[in-house]
Amino acid sequence: MTLASVRGRAVSLAGTFAGLALGVALIAMSLLVYASAQPRPPERLSAAPVVVHGPVLPDASGIGDGVRPWSADQAQALAERLAVLPGVAAAVPDRSFYAQLVVDGRPVGDPEDAGAGHGWPSAALGAYPLTRAPPPMQTARSPPVPRPGSRWGTGPRC
C-alpha cells in the first residue's frame, strides 16, 4: 500500500527531497560563512590569552577602520598598570614599525604591510618559540627572520 502511494506521487516525493536538500545546503552554507567571518587574532598573537589594543579611529562614515597606536610611553605605562593586576603573568607591549624584507638587494613582500616589524619582547606572544636566535644587542632590535623558503630555527644565527 505504501509502495503504491509512493509510486503515484513520485514527482511530489522527489520535489520534497530536493527542497529539503536545498534547504539543508542553504543553512549549512550560511553557518559556514558565519563561522568563517568570526574575528581571529593574528598568528603572531596566538599565545596571548588577552590582547588590548588602542582606540579605533572612525572613518568618514563613522565606522572604525584602523587602530590608533599608543605612543611608546603610553604603551609602557599601560603595560605596567596591567602587570600588577591579580592573575596577570606578564604584560607585553607590542609596537609595530615599518619593516621590509629585502632579498638580493630587492624588496619583496607586501608593500602595503607597513606594520610588519615588531619588537623583540612581542616574540613571547606568539605560539612559536625562537630557538636559534641570540638575545638582542639593542633595545630596538626585532626578532630575526629566516630567508624566504627556509624553515624557522634552521637559518644562520643572527
Side-chain angles (χ1 to χ4, degrees), residues 61-72:
S61 65
I63 300 173
D65 66 342
V67 176
R68 181 178 57 89
W70 285 305
S71 68

Side-chain angles (χ1 to χ4, degrees), residues 6-27:
V6 168
R7 233 181 278 152
R9 297 186 175 108
V11 175
S12 296
L13 185 63
T16 301
F17 280 127
L20 184 63
L22 184 63
V24 168
L26 184 64
I27 289 173

Side-chain angles (χ1 to χ4, degrees), residues 85-105:
L85 294 175
V88 175
V92 180
D94 177 31
R95 298 211 9 107
S96 60
F97 55 87
Y98 176 79
Q100 176 70 55
L101 180 62
V102 177
V103 176
D104 297 328

